[in-house]
Amino acid sequence: MDGSIILGLLNNIAVLLVLTMIYDYSWIRQETPFNFLKGIRTGAIIGGMGLILMMTPSTLSPGIVFDSRSILLSLSGLFFGTIPTVVAMIITGVYRLTLGGDGTLMGISVIITSGSIGIAWKYFRPNWKNRYYIFELLAMGMVVHLVMLANTVFLPGSVFKETFVAIAFPTMLIYPAGTILLGIVMVKMYKSWTNRKAKEQLSETERRFSSLLENVSMISVMYDTHGRILHCNRYFLELTGYTMEEVIGESWLDKFIHPDDRDEIGKVMEELISEQLYNQQFENDILKKDGSGIRIYWHNTILRSEEGGILGGASIGENVTQKRLEEEQLVEAKRKAEESDRLKSIFLTNMSHEIRTPMNAILGFTNLLSDNELPGPQKEKYVSIIKHSGNRLLQIINDILDISKLDAMQMSLQYSDSSLFDICINTFESFRQSQLLKEKSAIRISLDYPEELEELVLKTDCNRLQQVLDNLITNAIKYTDKGEIIFGLNLEDKGRKVRFTVSDTGRGIPKEVGDMVFERFRQVEEHEYHEGSGLGLSISKGLIKLLGGEIWYESEPGKGSTFYFTIPCYATTKIEIDKTVQEPGKLNLEGKHVIIAEDDEDSYYLLSTFFDGTNAVIHHAENGKSCLELLEKISPDLILLDINMPIVTGFECLEEIRTRRPNALVIVQTAYAGSEERDRIMNSGAHGFIAKPFDKQELFEVIAKVSNHYYR
Ligand code: ADP
């Protein structure tokens, strides 16, 4: 083998190394995307290098020159692609043509085949730069140079053999080796550049990521394998109220986890660090600097060193305190809605029963009453049943009105000085003689009223107070079969409060019921019917709250219950108690003209019957208009005015009466029993007020009170 070939080749290597530089600087580092002009420009440079190679050839014989253009062009095809390689092929091809000689044809064909094989390799083996790229380079170098060897057939027969022998060894050994070496350098350049780029991108991503973690509304904490805090973000500090110095190096468990939860959370952290944690997400409470808790939903991961060792754990957390609270509220609201739906159904069934039962009694016994031959005592019994049933109906209506007023916060109180002794003794007496108690002969009722408080006067709404007492005592009687019901009171809190007590020896209330008895429509035995709307305690609670007190109970199932309530003592004075019993006087209205303004025929009839024996002259006005007409004709002494009348309302009548018959006493009768209604009526000029339904006794009391007040 001619040593000059090898020398020439080594010379060429220096030039070929320039190719690696071109590849590095003007190809892989150019971040602009590939374009045609860039391809032409690079092709021109590679072509120029080809010219230099061809100008420093090994000359085997005149006209047969030998150089490393095959390496240049095949690598150009493989690394740069079609356009630069085709341009380089054209440049070198044209130059070879100008050189002429015996080897022209072979020279041109080597240029074409080397470049084309490189291009083809690039496109048909797109992943050639993978792990086995050295073998790819070897394979391509072998193919290119085998073909080059084959190209010797284009030499004239005279020089073919001599040339073949001269170039066979370098072509099949040195050229592929050169191709591999240059290829390796270029691949390494490519890989080191892409690695660098990737690293740059990675550090940029890391920078963005850590700035994101710093600024995002998510907690980020890192801790070592002992659970000591290595890092946390600003959001975490803002949320917990600590400074960075107070947190770094501290034990996560000691600083942020409630002592009761430490074991559990410590276990989770251990499992995480020892890679045994099955679920990487969990939720727990952490403590803020002020000791309050917040709920965090965590995503956890392990922190590793570059070598893969475990450094600790990293957690990203979302503050879900508000979210969980809202969820709880939602669940609670749903529960309440379902509960109230259920209670509503129970209530409706109960109500229907509550209304139908007395209705049934009223209608049934009224029919029986029409039998003229009914013996006196039986008649009395029927009337008493009708009365009781009517009162029961009224109670239901009043309860429903009260609860809706309490709900709408429309319940207003009428404060007045009230003798507690009077309230209690009257209540006691009325229950002692009540039908309810008579039906339960095994119950005794007693009043435990301290003597020293007999003269106590309290500023309170005595009607509402009375209502609560009535509710509690009625319940005590209702839910007791035998034994004793004691009600009484005493002063507490240094005389600032009065505490009432109603105790019974009845069935008691199960522990689990708790304060539910104070909820509306709530009855302990919901599936077992008993008389009552389930509103009494709920109304009592609302009223006591309005009166400024509290209500509660103690109970032992099977043994009895004691209900307590307090009301504040706003003013206490001593009064003289008139203990003489008032005789209900007879009313004498001799020569007096009474107008009964009432549109309901039955109500008028009832009222007019009340006046039988009073010697009054009764006039009926069926509506407001006829009331005004009557005023023209007579000068009435008393007007019983229904406020809710057609054509001209009671209020309009009141105004006319005030101007036209100022001396007439007006007592308004209405079914709207509220105190607001009463205020409105009294402010419109009425002298008295009576709520429907009322009996003769009640009406006469009001008439007596009003006439005493205005005539004396
Ligand atoms: P009701 O109209 O059903 O009596 P309340 O609101 O007054 O409604 O009472 C609610 C429930 O509380 C009653 O249904 C009863 O189960 C229970 N309860 C109230 N007072 C007593 C008591 N003194 N002893 C036993 N249970 C009682």
Side-chain angles (χ1 to χ4, degrees):
M1 187 187 67
D2 191 345
S4 68
I5 294 178
I6 294 170
L7 263 178
L9 275 176
L10 288 177
N11 269 343
N12 280 189
I13 295 290
V15 179
L16 285 171
L17 279 176
V18 177
L19 183 71
T20 63
M21 284 157 72
I22 296 168
Y23 184 57
D24 191 11
Y25 288 104
S26 69
W27 200 254
I28 51 181
R29 285 186 194 219
Q30 298 287 316
E31 272 159 31
T32 49
F34 173 80
N35 64 42
F36 188 72
L37 258 180
K38 187 178 160 193
I40 303 271
R41 210 170 45 233
T42 312
I45 298 170
I46 299 171
M49 286 170 59
L51 295 185
I52 297 170
L53 290 180
M54 288 159 75
M55 282 169 197
T56 53
S58 314
T59 306
L60 290 182
S61 57
I64 300 178
V65 287
F66 200 62
D67 53 59
S68 54
R69 79 191 84 143
S70 58
I71 300 177
L72 177 77
L73 292 172
S74 61
L75 286 178
S76 166
L78 188 62
F79 284 92
F80 295 89
T82 315
I83 294 174
T85 310
V86 169
V87 172
M89 279 156 71
I90 293 169
I91 293 170
T92 46
V94 169
Y95 178 67
R96 181 63 190 89
L97 270 179
T98 58
L99 288 181
D102 285 347
T104 306
L105 201 53
M106 180 192 168
I108 299 285
S109 118
V110 166
I111 288 169
I112 293 169
T113 54
S114 310
S116 306
I117 291 170
I119 293 168
W121 211 275
K122 178 177 172 70
Y123 292 105
F124 290 111
R125 308 265 322 150
N127 296 323
W128 70 269
K129 282 196 200 105
N130 64 16
R131 288 174 60 187
Y132 305 109
Y133 69 92
I134 295 179
F135 295 105
E136 292 276 346
L137 288 169
L138 172 68
M140 189 194 78
M142 295 300 276
V143 172
V144 167
H145 293 101
L146 266 176
V147 172
M148 179 171 145
L149 218 52
N151 277 332
T152 46
V153 296
F154 294 116
L155 291 174
S158 53
V159 289
F160 166 73
K161 196 171 162 227
E162 177 200 345
T163 310
F164 188 87
V165 172
I167 68 167
F169 173 69
T171 305
M172 291 320 296
L173 193 72
I174 297 173
Y175 279 35
T179 310
I180 292 170
L181 278 177
L182 273 176
I184 289 174
V185 174
M186 288 166 81
V187 168
K188 288 250 183 257
M189 274 172 168
Y190 173 80
K191 288 203 168 162
S192 96
W193 175 253
T194 44
N195 268 350
R196 221 162 82 198
K197 275 309 280 180
K199 273 193 182 151
E200 272 170 22
Q201 271 167 3
L202 192 70
S203 69
E204 176 61 15
T205 312
E206 271 175 1
R207 198 188 59 72
R208 284 190 194 154
F209 190 59
S210 58
S211 123
L212 183 77
L213 279 185
E214 262 321 293
N215 298 310
V216 81
S217 298
M218 294 280 268
I219 295 175
S220 142
V221 255
M222 292 175 193
Y223 36 85
D224 64 15
T225 47
H226 302 288
R228 284 182 302 241
I229 301 165
L230 299 171
H231 172 80
C232 67
N233 67 350
R234 210 165 34 217
Y235 178 69
F236 176 72
L237 298 174
E238 278 165 18
L239 209 63
T240 54
Y242 284 106
T243 60
M244 191 64 97
E245 294 72 43
E246 288 170 323
V247 167
I248 299 301
E250 293 292 322
S251 152
W252 174 258
L253 285 180
D254 293 347
K255 192 122 194 149
F256 294 103
I257 303 298
H258 190 277
D260 293 350
D261 301 335
R262 276 182 200 152
D263 284 349
E264 188 200 342
I265 302 297
K267 213 167 137 245
V268 173
M269 287 174 80
E270 260 173 39
E271 280 173 6
L272 172 79
I273 287 163
S274 58
E275 293 181 277
Q276 286 165 4
L277 192 64
Y278 175 66
N279 190 356
Q280 303 281 330
Q281 282 101 38
F282 71 90
E283 200 175 303
N284 72 308
D285 288 326
I286 62 166
L287 295 173
K288 298 208 302 191
K289 192 175 179 179
D290 62 13
S292 59
I294 40 173
R295 192 142 191 92
I296 309 294
Y297 183 78
W298 296 106
H299 300 257
N300 307 296
T301 185
I302 295 173
L303 267 186
R304 286 182 190 281
S305 65
E306 288 210 357
E307 295 74 40
I310 295 175
L311 296 177
S315 303
I316 299 284
E318 184 189 354
N319 179 4
V320 290
T321 318
Q322 188 59 23
K323 208 155 121 187
R324 295 293 173 259
L325 208 71
E326 282 164 7
E327 278 168 9
E328 273 168 26
Q329 283 166 349
L330 217 64
V331 169
E332 182 57 17
K334 184 169 167 271
R335 192 194 63 75
K336 278 202 173 142
E338 284 167 358
E339 181 69 358
S340 90
D341 198 44
R342 196 178 64 83
L343 287 176
K344 199 179 74 195
S345 314
I346 296 173
F347 170 73
L348 285 178
T349 326
N350 239 358
M351 269 302 134
S352 157
H353 188 281
E354 280 296 289
I355 293 170
R356 278 166 198 273
T357 315
M359 231 20 182
N360 199 28
I362 292 172
L363 296 175
F365 285 106
T366 316
N367 271 338
L368 291 180
L369 271 182
S370 56
D371 178 1
N372 285 336
E373 273 150 44
L374 214 57
Q378 210 154 345
K379 214 179 222 170
E380 253 176 49
K381 169 114 182 119
Y382 292 175
V383 170
S384 121
I385 295 173
I386 293 172
K387 240 168 126 180
H388 171 74
S389 304
N391 283 335
R392 220 172 120 183
L393 272 181
L394 188 64
Q395 186 56 46
I396 293 168
I397 294 166
N398 283 341
D399 278 359
I400 294 176
L401 282 178
D402 279 351
I403 205 80
S404 37
K405 274 196 208 156
L406 282 167
D407 262 2
M409 297 207 276
Q410 295 284 314
M411 177 79 82
S412 57
L413 299 176
Q414 303 296 312
Y415 280 91
S416 62
D417 287 343
S418 318
S419 155
L420 274 189
F421 184 73
D422 277 2
I423 294 174
C424 290
I425 199 82
N426 289 343
T427 310
F428 175 64
E429 282 303 327
S430 68
F431 272 103
R432 209 157 58 120
Q433 285 159 27
S434 68
Q435 189 61 29
L436 197 62
L437 205 67
K438 279 184 192 148
E439 282 164 12
K440 294 200 167 181
S441 52
I443 307 178
R444 269 175 302 117
I445 182 164
S446 53
L447 169 65
D448 178 16
Y449 197 100
E451 228 181 305
E452 66 278 12
L453 299 182
E454 275 189 13
E455 291 171 9
L456 184 69
V457 170
L458 208 65
K459 209 175 201 49
T460 191
D461 185 327
C462 59
N463 290 329
R464 295 305 183 185
L465 177 60
Q466 180 81 57
Q467 189 179 346
V468 176
L469 274 174
D470 284 354
N471 265 335
L472 297 184
I473 299 172
T474 307
N475 275 351
I477 300 174
K478 230 161 59 175
Y479 302 110
T480 304
D481 290 329
K482 59 175 193 302
E484 193 172 21
I485 289 161
I486 308 172
F487 89 97
L489 58 88
N490 52 17
L491 285 187
E492 64 173 30
D493 199 8
K494 295 188 188 129
R496 281 192 281 259
K497 282 183 197 163
V498 190
R499 189 177 77 168
F500 291 82
T501 313
V502 178
S503 69
D504 63 54
T505 50
R507 66 175 198 198
I509 300 169
K511 287 256 166 324
E512 64 275 13
V513 173
D515 275 353
M516 267 179 351
V517 287
F518 293 112
E519 287 173 22
R520 66 194 47 186
F521 311 138
R522 191 65 88 149
Q523 298 185 319
V524 174
E525 275 89 23
E526 279 166 359
H527 305 294
E528 176 190 300
Y529 175 73
H530 63 77
E531 193 182 310
S533 57
L535 288 174
L537 286 181
S538 162
I539 294 172
S540 300
K541 187 172 179 165
L543 289 177
I544 292 299
K545 198 172 157 206
L546 268 186
L547 286 168
E550 280 174 283
I551 184 167
W552 71 100
Y553 75 92
E554 285 163 6
S555 183
E556 207 171 316
K559 293 210 166 148
S561 321
T562 306
F563 278 81
Y564 304 91
F565 70 90
T566 57
I567 52 168
C569 259
Y570 286 132
T572 57
T573 52
K574 300 206 167 202
I575 53 158
E576 274 300 304
I577 303 169
D578 181 5
K579 289 183 183 163
T580 54
V581 182
Q582 301 276 327
E583 271 290 315
K586 274 198 159 194
L587 207 59
N588 187 4
L589 300 172
E590 179 83 55
K592 304 274 186 217
H593 286 267
V594 178
I595 296 180
I596 300 177
E598 172 63 71
D599 61 316
D600 181 63
E601 203 52 45
D602 296 342
S603 300
Y604 164 71
Y605 183 65
L606 182 68
L607 273 172
S608 64
T609 329
F610 286 174
F611 284 91
D612 287 353
T614 60
N615 300 323
V617 186
I618 305 293
H619 305 267
H620 182 202
E622 302 84 21
N623 53 49
K625 190 163 164 262
S626 63
C627 179
L628 297 183
E629 283 163 7
L630 266 176
L631 289 183
E632 298 288 321
K633 292 184 211 152
I634 55 159
S635 169
D637 300 285
L638 175 67
I639 303 172
L640 289 180
L641 185 67
D642 179 13
I643 207 74
N644 203 23
M645 280 188 302
I647 311 181
V648 178
T649 68
F651 283 108
E652 287 162 333
C653 283
L654 257 177
E655 220 174 295
E656 285 294 308
I657 296 166
R658 256 194 359 206
T659 48
R660 282 157 55 185
R661 297 288 180 199
N663 292 329
L665 280 183
V666 185
I667 295 174
V668 166
Q669 28 145 352
T670 172
Y672 304 117
S675 52
E676 310 80 43
E677 176 79 359
R678 182 167 36 204
D679 288 349
R680 191 171 160 222
I681 290 167
M682 295 310 280
N683 291 337
S684 307
H687 301 92
F689 169 96
I690 190 160
K692 285 178 184 174
F694 50 84
D695 60 19
K696 184 174 163 180
Q697 181 67 30
E698 285 166 324
L699 175 66
F700 281 13
E701 271 173 22
V702 176
I703 295 177
K705 206 168 118 192
V706 168
S707 47
N708 280 349
H709 186 77
Y710 288 97
Y711 286 148
R712 280 182 193 172

